[in-house]
């Protein structure tokens, strides 16, 4: 018998609006088929030793609505422009504000890239996940049709931080959404980025994000993430970062947990002299679950990392 969670993902795939537009449909179908064939990992799977999917796999989730739900804008108080806002997995143009961007900085929602861009602009969506212990990444590969796409040309530096805001809004049924983000800095570019993962009221939705970060030669990224979902929510986040020669990635995560909260931070130091600083605070109260997994690969010479959690 297929788990209710996987069955709802399969139904969500059938409800996808326009994956064919980018010739991505075969890859999406392959990711879904692999997920359904292998199923969800159990506690004996090393990578999932601390996060049981038992309770979650019995739940079904409706896919996100076509339009973002309304919510109280007070949630956004104190978050300045430039900002991209997503509500229940959909781009919220009314609450987003991209003023203050400089020439050479391109920031847009993935849905716009899929609708108007070249297929190669979305080729990060074709990434395959071969291992059975990557079920949420596979679900994302099958189902993601929204996210943030950020590209900085060589030498471009944003004067103020870019805010990515992800709001969960209560609805009449529990929803699941899958966001795929792509952040690319060319040589010598610099970016401060702040992720806000929060709820506008109590809900029990499932959010499943994958973020790709490519930092070119000498690029500098400072990345802060605040995860503050409601107590009954489920949050899966995965960051896959690749650093070129002398690139620097400074990251801070504040993880407050949820009913189920898990973040996988994978960083490949591919260029000589690349450096990672990844600091974080885990603070879960009540029955909240917080799981953070770090995978750092030192591939080139003279790479370094500092981790303080």
């Amino acid at each position: 018998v297929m788990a209710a969670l996987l069955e709802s993902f399969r139904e969500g795939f059938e409800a996808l609006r326009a994956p064919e537009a980018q010739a991505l449909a075969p890859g999406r179908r392959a990711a879904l088929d692999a997920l359904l064939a292998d199923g969800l990992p159990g506690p004996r799977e090393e990578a999932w030793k601390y996060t049981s999917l038992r309770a979650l796999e019995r739940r079904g989730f409706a896919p996100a609505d076509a339009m973002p739900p309304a919510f109280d804008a007070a949630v956004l108080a104190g978050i300045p422009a430039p900002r991209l806002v997503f509500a229940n997995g959909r781009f919220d143009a009314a609450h987003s504000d991209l003023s203050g961007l400089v020439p050479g900085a391109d920031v847009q929602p993935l849905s716009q890239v899929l609708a108007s861009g070249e297929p190669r602009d979305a080729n990060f969506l074709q990434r395959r996940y071969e291992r059975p212990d990557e079920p949420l990444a596979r679900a994302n590969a099958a189902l993601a049709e929204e996210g943030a796409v950020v590209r900085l040309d060589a030498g471009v530096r944003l004067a103020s931080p870019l805010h990515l805001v992800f709001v969960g809004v209560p609805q009449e049924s529990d929803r699941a959404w899958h966001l795929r983000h792509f952040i690319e800095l060319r040589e010598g570019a610099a970016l401060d980025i702040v992720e806000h993962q929060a709820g506008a009221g109590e809900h029990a939705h499932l959010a499943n994000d994958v973020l790709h970060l490519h930092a070119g030669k000498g690029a500098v990224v400072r990345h802060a993430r605040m995860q503050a979902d409601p107590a009954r929510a489920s949050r899966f986040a995965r960051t896959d970062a690749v650093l070129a020669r002398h690139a620097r990635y400074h990251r801070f995560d504040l993880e407050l947990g949820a009913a189920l909260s898990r973040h996988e931070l994978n960083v490949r130091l591919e260029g000589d002299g690349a450096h990672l600083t990844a600091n974080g605070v885990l603070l879960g109260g009540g029955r909240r679950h917080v799981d953070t997994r770090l995978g750092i690969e030192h591939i080139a010479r003279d790479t370094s990392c500092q981790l303080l959690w």
Side-chain angles (χ1 to χ4, degrees):
V1 180
M2 188 184 298
L5 178 68
L6 296 182
E7 180 61 37
S8 72
F9 286 169
R10 191 184 65 74
E11 291 170 1
F13 183 85
E14 305 305 334
L16 277 178
R17 294 206 301 284
E20 330 303 324
Q22 294 287 336
L24 295 170
R28 289 182 183 276
R29 171 64 74 180
L32 180 74
D33 289 346
L35 172 63
L36 298 182
D38 288 328
L40 297 169
R44 290 172 182 271
E45 190 74 57
E46 175 65 27
W48 291 87
K49 187 162 67 174
Y50 300 112
T51 297
S52 169
L53 297 176
R54 274 261 169 81
L56 188 67
E57 73 179 5
R58 294 195 288 266
R59 293 177 58 199
F61 295 86
D65 288 340
M67 300 298 293
F71 64 91
D72 184 351
V75 174
L76 304 174
I79 303 179
R83 70 184 186 204
L84 277 183
V85 178
F86 300 84
N88 286 11
R90 294 298 181 205
F91 173 58
D92 190 328
H95 286 116
S96 298
D97 182 351
L98 289 179
S99 57
L101 291 179
V102 297
D106 182 46
V107 179
Q108 52 183 323
L110 174 59
S111 52
Q112 283 180 15
V113 175
L114 288 174
S116 61
E118 298 279 323
R120 68 170 183 274
D121 291 341
N123 60 11
F124 57 90
L125 289 174
Q126 313 230 29
R127 164 124 192 235
R128 294 293 183 88
Y129 299 94
E130 305 295 346
R131 302 202 319 265
D133 65 0
E134 301 177 290
L136 278 303
R138 284 173 162 183
N140 188 290
L143 296 164
E145 48 185 347
E146 191 54 280
V149 180
V150 180
R151 289 186 165 96
L152 266 60
D153 290 345
V156 170
R157 293 169 176 258
L158 284 197
S160 50
L162 171 65
H163 295 265
L164 303 180
V165 188
F166 308 102
V167 183
V169 184
Q171 289 187 269
E172 73 288 346
S173 61
D174 296 341
R175 307 301 171 107
W177 56 85
H178 309 264
L179 297 178
R180 182 74 72 94
H181 314 297
F182 182 68
I183 300 173
E184 180 183 49
L185 284 80
R186 296 285 171 84
E187 181 173 345
L191 173 67
D192 291 353
I193 193 158
V194 184
E195 277 186 78
H196 308 258
Q197 298 174 341
E202 292 298 318
H203 66 76
H205 302 316
L206 166 64
N208 177 28
D209 289 26
V210 174
L211 185 150
H212 303 281
L213 175 80
H214 291 183
K217 180 181 175 184
V220 179
V221 182
R222 295 193 303 173
H223 185 174
R225 172 175 165 267
M226 291 170 287
Q227 182 271 320
D229 291 292
R232 295 189 302 123
S234 300
R235 158 79 57 189
F236 294 92
R238 172 173 172 154
T239 305
D240 291 338
V242 177
L243 308 188
R245 189 183 179 101
H246 298 304
R248 305 181 74 81
Y249 185 25
H250 303 277
R251 183 178 175 115
F252 175 79
D253 289 87
L254 172 62
E255 306 259 16
L256 301 182
L260 199 57
S261 162
R262 174 184 168 100
H263 181 215
E264 301 173 30
L265 175 59
N266 304 309
V267 182
R268 290 173 57 89
L269 301 163
E270 288 193 353
D272 292 355
H275 175 77
L276 165 71
T277 303
N279 299 333
V281 174
L282 310 176
L283 184 65
R287 298 183 59 81
R288 287 170 176 265
H289 177 99
V290 194
D291 183 8
T292 295
R293 297 185 63 84
L294 305 176
I296 317 299
E297 294 182 81
H298 292 267
I299 293 164
R301 297 178 51 180
D302 302 322
T303 58
S304 57
C305 76
Q306 292 175 294
L307 308 171
L308 177 62
W309 284 76

